[in-house]
């Protein structure tokens, strides 16, 4: 059996870490190496990682100064020895057949990447067991997989519901110091593949919790716009029929992010405004392209412009506040 490297960055997740690691060490596919990257976590995670390594010789622990999620994943990639690589977030957990099923999907279809469905799990919800009967694998081209990113379906932009052949990750790294690091990464990797395999079974449990990176707003969330611009650049060169959809997504993101910054302090708000304005200026629409959008879509395109975005966002927030009264 091929060796599979499972990379798990660890930072301030002491309440969830044991469940995550337990789901990995108990995988039905046994030939795995588990790389725990202690990213300078200030809680008990460092001790917990070492304790797990003493129990299972497949676990390797790397302690490092805090450098963020991307840096931790990159350290894991440098250390990985497997022919296949998976990334797991340390507050989530996986089905016991996660690796087995995704590995089989790659081997049987000769794809370079396999992905599964996900299950969002809320703090108060009960845990459910995934029933696995017949396993159907759908093959997709890079274009189809990138299209899934744009519509947030199947393959998605996240890296943690996937298994990758090691060769496709050679010379690839996550951009450090960024939020939305997967947005910068996934479309590039999809574009390198010949084909991708999708398993329509929720094998990955995605924990929704207050205070996580993805549920708390900060100015770093504006990194998303830079990721959009890089992806749009690729789409216009290679998948021009998808570029219009992503440019619309970009405009919607501008409006949503602007609404999020209106409650920040004056200095943060000004910095965010300048960054949004600067990114929005880089997106152009031809008359022919505009004619393909619905009226609702055209409004988002117009409202994302500098002269419209603030009044539109203030009206939206007022309406939301009245609805909550």
């Amino acid at each position: 059996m091929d060796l599979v490297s499972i990379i798990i960055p660890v930072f301030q997740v002491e309440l969830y870490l044991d469940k995550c690691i337990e789901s990995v060490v108990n995988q039905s596919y046994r030939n795995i190496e588990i790389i725990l990257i202690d990213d300078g976590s200030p809680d008990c995670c460092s001790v917990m990682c070492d304790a797990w390594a003493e129990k299972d010789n497949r676990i390797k622990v790397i302690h490092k100064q805090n450098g963020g999620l991307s840096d931790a994943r990159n350290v894991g990639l440098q250390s990985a020895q497997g022919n296949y690589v998976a990334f797991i977030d340390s507050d989530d957990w996986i089905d016991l057949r996660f690796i087995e099923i995704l590995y089989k999907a790659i081997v049987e279809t000769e794809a370079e990447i396999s992905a599964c469905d996900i299950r969002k799990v809320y703090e108060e919800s009960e845990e459910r067991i995934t029933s696995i009967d017949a396993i159907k694998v759908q093959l997709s081209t890079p274009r189809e997989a990138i299209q899934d990113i744009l519509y947030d379906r199947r393959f998605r932009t996240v890296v943690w519901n996937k298994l990758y052949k090691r060769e496709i990750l050679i010379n690839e790294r996550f951009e450090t110091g960024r939020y939305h690091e997967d947005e910068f990464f996934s479309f590039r990797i999809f574009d390198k593949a010949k084909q991708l395999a999708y398993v329509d079974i929720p094998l990955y449990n995605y924990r929704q919790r207050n205070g996580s990176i993805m549920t708390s707003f900060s100015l770093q969330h504006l990194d998303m716009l830079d990721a959009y611009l890089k992806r749009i650049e690729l789409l216009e060169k290679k998948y021009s029929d998808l570029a219009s959809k992503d440019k619309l997504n970009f405009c919607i993101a501008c409006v949503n992010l602007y609404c999020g910054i209106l409650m920040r302090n004056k200095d943060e708000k000004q910095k965010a405004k300048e960054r949004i304005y600067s990114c929005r200026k880089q997106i152009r629409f031809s008359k022919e392209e505009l004619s393909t959008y619905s009226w609702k879509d055209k409004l988002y395109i117009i409202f994302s412009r500098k002269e419209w975005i603030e009044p539109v966002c203030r009206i939206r927030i007022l309406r939301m506040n009245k609805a909550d009264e």
Side-chain angles (χ1 to χ4, degrees), residues 43-55:
D43 56 8
C44 295
C45 285
S46 175
V47 174
M48 293 170 72
C49 288
D50 289 338
W52 272 104
E54 290 181 4
K55 297 177 188 177

Side-chain angles (χ1 to χ4, degrees), residues 26-38:
N26 290 326
Q27 286 293 295
S28 58
Y29 189 97
R30 304 303 295 169
N31 193 25
I32 58 177
E33 67 165 355
I34 304 164
I35 306 173
L36 303 178
I37 314 296
D38 167 29

Side-chain angles (χ1 to χ4, degrees), residues 23 45 56 78 91 120 124 152 157 160 172 197-200 212 234-235 281 290 296 307 324:
S23 75
C45 285
D56 193 319
Q78 290 172 358
D91 52 352
K120 292 185 179 180
E124 67 281 1
D152 193 27
T157 195
W160 35 251
E172 291 289 349
Y198 179 76
V199 179
D200 192 17
S212 69
L234 172 73
L235 295 181
K281 282 171 60 178
L290 284 171
K296 181 180 178 180
E307 59 269 30
D324 291 338

